[in-house]
Amino acid sequence: MVSARPAVQQLPAYRPGRNPADLAREIGVERAVKLASNEVAFPPLPAVVEALAAAAAETNRYPDNGAVVLTAALAERYGVDPAQVVTGCGAVMLCQQLAQSFNDPGTSIAFAWRSFEMYPLLAQVAGARSIQVPLVPGRPGGPADTHDLGALAAAVDDSTRVVFVCNPNNPTGTAVRRAELERFLDAVPADTLVVLDEAYREFVTDPDVPDGLECMRGRPNVAVLRTFSKAWGLAGLRVGYLVAEDPAVADAVRRTHVPFSVSSLAQAAAVAALASEGEVRRRCAAVTAERARLTAALRERGLDVSDSQANFVWLPVGEQAAGLAAALEARAVITRPFAGEGIRVTVGTPEEDDVLLAALDEVRSTAPVA
């Protein structure tokens, strides 16, 4: 009998957000609302639709393996050399490539916890040890939801090859500020790569939350990871990118690239999206305005919701998470529970969020949520 590696056999299966059409049929309603996967509610950008239509005529050919046009557009946008940019099949694939590029068995990957759920899985697949540093309360008496960068720096040891800093943090939405991040970057050894995972950067409104690319400059052991799946509305096409201060870091990640994994459609769409930045900014402004409204409405209901800098909010309901999420699903609202900790709720349209609030009120009327 052929057996997979023990590390692979022990991996939990990834659980994507439920299909709303399936849930609607299951509970017998016309429509369910999905607020689980941090997608934007807007339709694809008009320029993206046009680019996809044009690129579709060439799908009998392999895509450009180097994504040269997209790489050049990103390099120009951020004022870096194309040799510093790596594209990939979503930011998750680039995370995996980072682990493959820098971690051998016996090394370690350090990150805050709870944070992006793929980090410990990446370490497991690479045969590396996970160094998980607990979050700390975002405010006195509040829930544990913010990076403890001092503790994270102290946890880095001689085995640590990669450190992930998810900023804003998924799933709590909180973000670290400029001074503490710069102190952290200065404290990490020069032979340890720090990856600033900024999948939600476009939704940041706090001026003291730094742009990771600014912090990266002049620091050869820092790289920034971003995605087109969120603000740019390309979740179904899977395009992410890494910008590294040291081209050698980018080159190492590029060497673990799965050939042709960024499709010609995805490349064309990403280039078109970059050219539509004004519309993307307007959409992000609408999301952050709705985020503020949703946060206020949840706080009015007695929930201890921290300020989010992403396109989702975190409900720190602890042991009630699984039960509350199930109760919301029974009322046609799909959220993302983390058992024993909390629920992540994507910011939807005002209409979708009103459905959530009404469902929450109904649940709370029968079983109050702490």
Side-chain angles (χ1 to χ4, degrees), residues 20-359:
D22 291 344
L23 176 61
R25 283 192 298 270
E26 179 182 312
I27 64 176
V29 298
E30 183 177 340
R31 177 175 178 260
V33 172
K34 182 183 179 185
L35 301 176
S37 299
N38 298 343
E39 302 143 324
V40 292
F42 298 99
L45 295 157
V48 165
V49 175
E50 292 177 12
L52 289 172
E58 298 294 329
T59 52
N60 59 310
R61 305 293 185 185
Y62 283 111
D64 173 11
N65 192 49
V68 171
V69 175
L70 175 57
T71 299
L74 289 166
E76 181 178 2
R77 185 176 193 270
Y78 295 120
V80 297
D81 190 278
Q84 295 173 257
V85 179
V86 188
T87 60
C89 184
V92 172
M93 177 61 79
L94 286 164
C95 285
Q96 181 172 316
Q97 290 175 237
L98 285 159
Q100 291 173 327
S101 301
F102 296 99
N103 284 97
D104 287 314
T107 64
S108 64
I109 298 176
F111 47 88
W113 196 252
R114 174 171 290 276
S115 191
F116 183 36
E117 60 193 298
M118 288 300 296
Y119 296 157
L121 304 185
L122 296 169
Q124 192 170 337
V125 170
R129 178 169 56 96
S130 287
I131 299 177
Q132 300 184 14
V133 177
L135 299 173
V136 295
R139 56 190 180 281
D145 59 14
T146 302
H147 276 69
D148 185 343
L149 290 183
L152 185 58
V156 172
D157 60 27
D158 291 342
S159 74
T160 308
R161 298 292 176 267
V162 179
V163 180
F164 285 104
V165 177
C166 192
N167 198 40
N169 188 45
N170 178 10
T172 62
T174 52
V176 295
R177 272 61 183 177
R178 179 174 288 101
E180 57 185 319
L181 181 58
E182 289 181 345
R183 282 196 300 271
F184 170 77
L185 295 176
D186 290 341
V188 174
D191 59 353
T192 299
L193 177 65
V194 179
V195 180
L196 304 179
D197 186 345
E198 296 188 332
Y200 301 94
R201 171 64 204 173
E202 292 85 354
F203 302 106
V204 171
T205 54
D206 183 342
D208 201 30
V209 176
D211 182 326
L213 288 159
E214 296 176 2
C215 297
M216 176 196 78
R217 299 183 195 278
R219 293 184 168 95
N221 67 324
V222 177
V224 176
L225 185 65
R226 292 187 182 174
T227 183
F228 283 94
S229 293
K230 311 303 181 185
W232 302 88
L234 303 185
L237 288 169
R238 312 304 300 132
V239 194
Y241 58 97
L242 181 85
V243 182
E245 176 69 358
D246 185 353
V249 170
D251 178 67
V253 175
R254 203 175 289 115
R255 289 172 184 269
T256 59
H257 170 77
V258 176
F260 308 118
S261 57
V262 184
S263 73
S264 52
L265 294 175
Q267 293 181 39
V271 171
L274 285 173
S276 303
E277 185 171 355
E279 176 59 23
V280 171
R281 288 184 182 276
R282 285 188 288 273
R283 292 180 174 195
C284 288
V287 170
T288 57
E290 176 60 11
R291 180 181 71 197
R293 185 186 79 92
L294 178 60
T295 299
L298 291 167
R299 287 174 177 168
E300 288 170 3
R301 287 159 171 79
L303 288 162
D304 191 11
V305 180
S306 297
D307 291 333
S308 173
Q309 292 297 309
N311 70 329
F312 55 84
V313 295
W314 174 247
L315 311 184
V317 294
E319 295 300 326
Q320 299 181 58
L324 176 57
L328 291 172
E329 273 200 18
R331 292 161 177 80
V333 179
I334 304 169
T335 59
R336 178 68 170 88
F338 294 80
E341 298 177 67
I343 296 175
R344 191 188 68 198
V345 179
T346 304
V347 176
T349 65
E351 294 76 18
E352 290 173 332
D353 292 340
D354 284 343
V355 172
L356 163 73
L357 293 169

